[in-house]
Amino acid sequence: MEKKRILTGDRPTGPLHLGHYVGSVANRVNLQDKYDTFIIIADVQALTTNFDQPERLKQDVLNVAMDNIACGVDPAKATIFVQSMVPAIAELTIIYSNLVTVQQLFHNPTIKTEAAQYHFEESMPYGFLGYPVSQAADITFCRAHLVPVGEDQAPHIELTRKIVRKFNAIYAPVLIEPEQILNPRLIGLDGNAKMSKSLGNAIYLSDPPEEVQRKVNRAVTDPARIHPQDKGHPEVCVVFAYHKVFNSGEVKDIEERCRNGLIGCVPCKKRLTAVLNQFLEPIRARRAELEKNPDTVWDVLQNGTKRARTEGEKTMALVREAVKINYFPIPERP
Ligand code: TRP
């Protein structure tokens, strides 16, 4: 039997951080053997909030590709590709735009949160408001069954499902209705629910050891703890949250010692720094190798994009027939 297909990906707006790793990359590495995995580098989506800084895109596309590969995404198993170079995604976006209302888009909670971040409330670019429609095209152009993403992406997956149902009901049942695989989320250094570049509360996969140390030292701990002997409340401590994710072997012991005032925040942070740097070391090493050979990374993206284009053409043939816009044969597009 053919493997089920996964589609997931990232917006290239800078290098990836630990939040991306926990919230997405780790799971795609785990799933790449079992599923036919497509990883989109969503540069068109990045442009919706950075359209006036196009000069950053190329480096960020490369960064995201290198970070994924450095974390263990294997280009021999997963198809990594660039969104803007797959015409089917743009074409589907236009066709899907008739199946969505602007009211629906304005109600999307993730759009609301991001609009506030980018000060778009008063003057909302059409492309930004509509990026979830484009994301529905990202997911459906290759007929993906599963989308492993964090909970902030759930509204977009729900919209995708609605669009697919509407399309299949009106035209012909040719699209796959995808399901979300819910990934965990990592809190930010400042205690914000989400680690994110725009909030400035992230540890990057490419941060050098001293930078990791500096950031961990700044991380928010239990404010009620003044002296090392004070009894701590690990449930409100960012450092503890990271121990839970990255230091499962010691986390029980650390929790007990914190609750009983037997470990201070300084040694606890020191230990976390060591654990994180140990985790990041092989990723940094692989990334350094890739940085020396960017051409091999561009080759990976070119090959992945070719395969994505082929899959897109297959879906477009079905879609053109369903929407009855296949008036005459057209030359094949490579
Ligand atoms: N919106 C996602 C993010 O902000 C990135 C993304 C674009 C994506 N297209 C996608 C994720 C398709 C999953 C599937 O991180």
Side-chain angles (χ1 to χ4, degrees):
M1 217 183 69
E2 260 186 48
K3 281 182 181 170
K4 277 201 176 183
R5 201 165 271 184
I6 275 186
L7 186 129
T8 181
D10 311 287
R11 250 186 240 189
T13 54
L16 297 187
H17 50 64
L18 285 177
H20 290 114
Y21 182 83
V22 172
S24 191
V25 180
N27 209 18
R28 68 183 71 144
V29 172
N30 284 336
L31 297 171
Q32 65 184 344
D33 287 308
K34 185 160 170 216
Y35 297 100
D36 183 13
T37 299
F38 281 71
I39 297 175
I40 187 167
I41 302 189
D43 58 338
V44 175
Q45 193 174 110
L47 273 176
T48 66
T49 54
N50 290 293
F51 55 86
D52 50 354
Q53 305 179 60
E55 64 282 355
R56 291 187 5 196
L57 271 176
K58 188 173 183 183
Q59 185 59 45
D60 283 340
V61 168
L62 188 65
N63 275 332
V64 167
M66 289 192 297
D67 280 335
N68 271 282
I69 298 167
C71 285
V73 170
D74 180 353
K77 296 173 184 161
T79 300
I80 316 176
F81 68 97
V82 178
Q83 183 187 30
S84 64
M85 300 196 82
V86 179
I89 294 176
E91 293 170 347
L92 289 173
T93 303
I94 292 179
I95 291 172
Y96 294 168
S97 66
N98 295 321
L99 309 179
V100 183
T101 65
V102 289
Q103 286 78 8
Q104 234 176 329
L105 293 170
F106 273 117
H107 282 133
N108 182 311
T110 299
I111 286 286
K112 281 190 196 169
T113 309
E114 291 175 351
Q117 261 175 40
Y118 294 100
H119 310 290
F120 282 162
E121 296 108 320
E122 293 304 312
S123 93
M124 178 88 73
Y126 166 60
F128 171 78
L129 178 67
Y131 91 68
V133 183
S134 164
Q135 189 159 332
D138 297 343
I139 295 166
T140 53
F141 89 95
C142 67
R143 316 165 59 65
H145 303 92
L146 297 166
V147 189
V149 280
E151 64 177 316
D152 62 318
Q153 299 295 303
H156 304 342
I157 311 303
E158 209 33 64
L159 181 76
T160 303
R161 291 165 60 86
K162 283 197 178 120
I163 290 173
V164 166
R165 286 199 293 267
K166 204 158 174 186
F167 182 102
N168 285 347
I170 296 174
Y171 301 115
V174 298
L175 298 178
I176 309 261
E177 188 176 332
E179 273 174 53
Q180 178 174 9
I181 298 178
L182 186 63
N183 284 338
R185 166 145 113 179
L186 191 66
I187 66 173
L189 287 162
D190 57 355
N192 190 292
K194 197 180 171 191
M195 182 177 276
S196 111
K197 179 192 153 144
S198 48
L199 298 172
N201 63 4
I203 294 176
Y204 290 90
L205 299 174
S206 45
D207 276 346
E210 319 76 60
E211 181 74 1
V212 172
Q213 178 178 31
R214 211 178 53 77
K215 287 179 174 174
V216 169
N217 285 345
R218 241 181 34 206
V220 169
T221 54
D222 177 0
R225 259 192 126 193
I226 316 251
H227 309 290
Q229 305 89 320
D230 293 344
K231 294 193 168 161
H233 306 86
E235 61 280 2
V236 302
C237 176
V238 171
V239 174
F240 182 72
Y242 295 172
H243 275 297
K244 264 209 290 210
V245 178
F246 294 100
N247 193 12
S248 54
E250 292 177 324
V251 68
K252 266 206 150 114
D253 179 53
I254 288 171
E255 173 166 14
E256 219 172 276
R257 289 201 282 152
C258 173
R259 283 197 195 285
N260 293 305
L262 298 173
I263 181 174
C265 293
V266 172
C268 187
K269 284 179 164 176
K270 218 171 169 184
R271 185 66 201 126
L272 179 67
T273 301
V275 165
L276 289 180
N277 276 327
Q278 199 180 2
F279 166 76
L280 289 171
E281 195 39 53
I283 298 176
R284 277 189 208 114
R286 281 193 294 269
R287 201 184 197 288
E289 277 307 303
L290 295 166
E291 276 171 20
K292 279 190 230 151
N293 302 297
D295 285 350
T296 62
V297 182
W298 289 115
D299 281 347
V300 164
L301 292 180
Q302 191 178 11
N303 288 330
T305 302
K306 272 188 200 155
R307 178 168 183 231
R309 286 172 73 108
T310 305
E311 289 306 311
E313 290 308 297
K314 286 188 207 160
T315 303
M316 278 315 295
L318 297 172
V319 165
R320 284 198 192 96
E321 189 182 346
V323 186
K324 307 205 186 306
I325 52 176
N326 59 337
Y327 311 109
F328 39 78
I330 38 167
E332 235 176 78
R333 193 163 51 185

